[in-house]
Amino acid sequence: MLVAGGAGYIGSHTVRLLQEHAVPVVVLDNFSTGHRAAVRAPCVEADLADSEPLRLVFREHRPKAVIHFAAKCYVGESVVEPAKYYRENVVHSWNLLEAMRAADCEQIVFSSTCATYGVPREIPIEEGHPQAPISPYGRTKLAIEYMLEDYSRAYGLRFSALRYFNAAGAASDASLGEHHEPETHLIPLMLRVASGRSEEILIFGDDYETRDGTCVRDYIHVEDLADAHLRALRLLEAGRQQVVCNLGTGRGYSVREVLDVARRVTGHPIPARVVARREGDPAELVSGGRRATELLGWTPRRSELEQIVRDAWNFQCAHPDGFPT
Ligand code: UDP
């Protein structure tokens, strides 16, 4: 199994789960945002920009399948630097698909996102909801979904596109977790305040049409996401052509509700200040989520918000500075 981007947040948890299930893994990562310390599997340091090392990886390791996490994932940055997102996400995914095609590797599990839906017309968001992304990030992920569909039809590629809602939490033993530079995500930022490394959390808008005016999101535990990848892989191995699923819990929490949980878990008052809305934030994103249960037999096991925040907090206490660079 080749895991592109296996040193990143969701990738590293998935690599570990694969290893626990005795699946042989090779990680391919350029370590631009991933962390060496997050992976205990054979690693090839290479960039998906470069076709030659990619070709060699397939020749040497002969993977039957690929899980593809390697991507840029900041919505705001993608608005300012779309060229970077089209290159890193679309062009590099194309390079990977071409390397797979040349090596007759026919299965791929791809990290997609609820950002491909854009501003939802209805909540919860089912997989059949129109995909009309509003950011370059979401558009690049949708472009890759289209590419997978077309390769599937023309070349027999079997693929899974897993549309994550809000990935959060950390490994239950606190050995792996979320470490982004810069950090932009709500839960780790709140926990930074609780650990005294920043002063306050900024709430991006409290005038949305939601129960308390703050944005509602569907937080899904990173270990539950990892589990879904393994299940999707098994389905492809069994011969299924396409597996396209949302991965969420079907339950949304507002920013203020997350804050209450973080205060309870950490015992810290976590001062908060309301500021202007962040551009590109829909009021509410909650997954319909039935298809993952039906197709993959998947149900989130660790995604109670309190559990997510507790695991993230344990990771932050165990690794106050994140992974060593
Ligand atoms: N958010 C916030 N303050 C922050 C970071 C995030 O109020 O410092 C809000 C953000 O507007 C969104 C929610 O928290 O409604 C989750 O944001 P995050 O960046 O964690 O994930 P996203 O929904 O962008 O994938």
Side-chain angles (χ1 to χ4, degrees):
M1 170 72 45
L2 182 69
V3 183
Y9 172 43
I10 306 169
S12 59
H13 288 79
T14 305
V15 166
R16 191 156 83 176
L17 185 70
L18 293 168
Q19 291 179 308
E20 284 167 9
H21 284 76
V23 178
V25 176
V26 178
V27 168
L28 182 93
D29 208 296
N30 64 4
F31 297 104
S32 61
T33 52
H35 305 281
R36 278 171 205 283
V39 186
R40 293 210 171 79
C43 265
V44 176
E45 180 167 358
D47 198 298
L48 293 179
D50 305 322
S51 303
E52 190 51 22
L54 255 183
R55 199 177 63 80
L56 289 177
V57 169
F58 278 94
R59 203 170 67 190
E60 188 180 338
H61 298 281
R62 305 227 151 266
K64 283 218 194 73
V66 172
I67 307 185
H68 178 26
F69 294 103
K72 296 289 163 217
C73 64
Y74 293 122
V75 171
E77 184 185 55
S78 80
V79 175
V80 188
E81 286 189 81
K84 178 172 173 181
Y85 278 70
Y86 280 90
R87 184 184 65 237
E88 301 267 342
N89 293 358
V90 180
V91 176
H92 292 183
S93 295
W94 178 78
N95 283 349
L96 178 62
L97 288 183
E98 284 299 281
M100 289 177 66
R101 197 152 74 91
D104 292 323
C105 175
E106 292 187 330
Q107 301 166 46
I108 183 166
V109 179
F110 167 63
S111 302
S112 190
T113 165
C114 63
T116 58
Y117 294 114
V119 179
R121 291 190 197 164
E122 57 208 28
I123 296 287
I125 304 173
E126 305 285 344
E127 287 83 355
H129 185 287
Q131 288 178 290
I134 55 169
S135 68
Y137 166 68
R139 290 195 181 122
T140 60
K141 288 284 182 174
L142 182 56
I144 301 163
E145 284 199 16
Y146 285 148
M147 206 152 50
L148 293 171
E149 253 178 65
D150 291 337
Y151 272 56
S152 176
R153 205 169 295 122
Y155 309 128
L157 181 76
R158 306 208 295 282
F159 77 94
S160 174
L162 300 176
R163 297 178 188 149
Y164 313 153
F165 281 66
N166 283 60
S172 38
D173 66 359
S175 61
L176 296 173
E178 189 166 11
H179 175 187
H180 295 116
E181 291 295 342
E183 188 53 77
T184 62
H185 294 108
L186 182 66
I187 293 175
L189 285 176
M190 283 179 179
L191 299 180
R192 279 186 188 192
V193 180
S195 63
R197 285 183 307 137
S198 52
E199 299 278 300
E200 60 180 0
I201 184 79
L202 302 179
I203 296 177
F204 297 144
D206 67 351
D207 56 353
Y208 287 94
E209 281 192 22
T210 58
R211 45 188 175 268
D212 63 16
T214 64
C215 286
V216 170
R217 294 289 180 273
D218 182 341
Y219 295 89
I220 179 82
H221 197 291
V222 65
E223 287 190 336
D224 285 327
L225 287 181
D227 175 40
H229 289 74
L230 186 62
R231 288 167 185 271
L233 209 58
R234 297 281 190 238
L235 221 51
L236 297 180
E237 276 167 9
R240 183 135 194 148
Q241 196 73 23
Q242 284 194 20
V243 183
V244 178
C245 293
N246 287 345
L247 296 178
T249 64
R251 165 122 207 238
Y253 290 90
S254 73
V255 173
R256 284 198 190 283
E257 287 165 346
V258 178
L259 186 57
D260 285 343
V261 172
R263 285 172 172 156
R264 204 160 57 233
V265 166
T266 61
H268 188 283
I270 311 182
R273 180 159 56 97
V274 176
V275 294
R277 291 179 175 200
R278 185 173 70 176
E279 205 191 325
D281 268 339
E284 191 164 355
L285 292 171
V286 177
S287 171
R290 278 198 301 274
R291 197 189 285 176
T293 308
E294 285 162 13
L295 270 185
L296 304 178
W298 176 81
T299 34
R301 306 240 169 254
R302 226 176 150 80
S303 294
E304 282 297 319
L305 186 60
E306 185 138 346
Q307 187 67 63
I308 287 176
V309 174
R310 186 167 295 121
D311 285 347
W313 179 233
N314 288 341
F315 174 74
Q316 191 155 127
C317 293
H319 307 265
D321 300 315
F323 293 110
T325 41

